Amino acid sequence: MKDLCRGYILVVEEDHDLGRLFEAVLTIDGYHVTVTPHIYEAHRILSQREPDLIIFDWSLHNAAGYVWVDELRTTAHTAHIPILLVCGMQPPRSIYEMLASAGVPIIEKPFDLIAFNRCVAALIQPRARAIGA
């Protein structure tokens, strides 16, 4: 029987071990996953293939994740892509409110893998239905 891919996920994670964990968990769940530690590499990947979901931290060493959220939401070819932030600490209230108004859910580290998988599925499923998958 042919394996069905549940979707394509781009993960931007600076911590190599956490990136590998994301890749393993999501791959086991049936997703195709690309992991990169850098925003500039994520931009290159986005120009080549549109993901069904982008996962990253709101606070990155090489860029401010919340600024990237704003960029993704205000760029025509990425505005519709769901985003999930996985954060080591909750952002300040003003940033949290900006993210909430942009429809960006936040999961705090350490996180429950079952809750993480449910959140990923919920973010990808409505998009799959909308495009007739």
Side-chain angles (χ1 to χ4, degrees), residues 14-129:
E14 296 170 324
D15 181 302
H16 179 71
D17 292 334
L18 188 54
R20 289 181 59 197
L21 174 66
F22 283 134
E23 184 174 25
V25 166
L26 293 168
T27 300
I28 288 169
D29 233 17
Y31 299 101
H32 176 77
V33 181
T34 299
V35 179
T36 181
H38 303 287
I39 294 286
Y40 65 83
E41 178 68 12
H43 279 286
R44 186 189 64 73
I45 293 165
L46 281 168
S47 71
Q48 296 175 350
R49 183 172 181 194
E50 181 180 299
D52 297 298
L53 175 65
I54 304 172
I55 299 173
F56 59 97
D57 199 325
W58 77 272
S59 176
L60 299 165
H61 291 108
N62 55 39
Y66 61 90
V67 173
W68 198 40
V69 167
D70 188 53
E71 180 184 335
L72 291 168
R73 287 292 182 250
T74 57
T75 303
H77 75 278
T78 58
H80 60 282
I81 301 171
I83 298 168
L84 172 61
L85 294 183
V86 182
C87 305
M89 55 188 263
Q90 195 161 17
R93 185 176 178 89
S94 60
I95 294 172
Y96 184 83
E97 289 172 356
M98 183 271 295
L99 295 170
S101 70
V104 178
I106 298 173
I107 293 180
E108 289 186 56
K109 300 174 193 172
F111 53 88
D112 177 272
L113 287 176
I114 294 171
F116 172 77
N117 287 342
R118 285 184 185 146
C119 188
V120 167
L123 288 167
I124 288 181
Q125 187 172 355
R127 181 177 155 98
R129 280 195 306 253

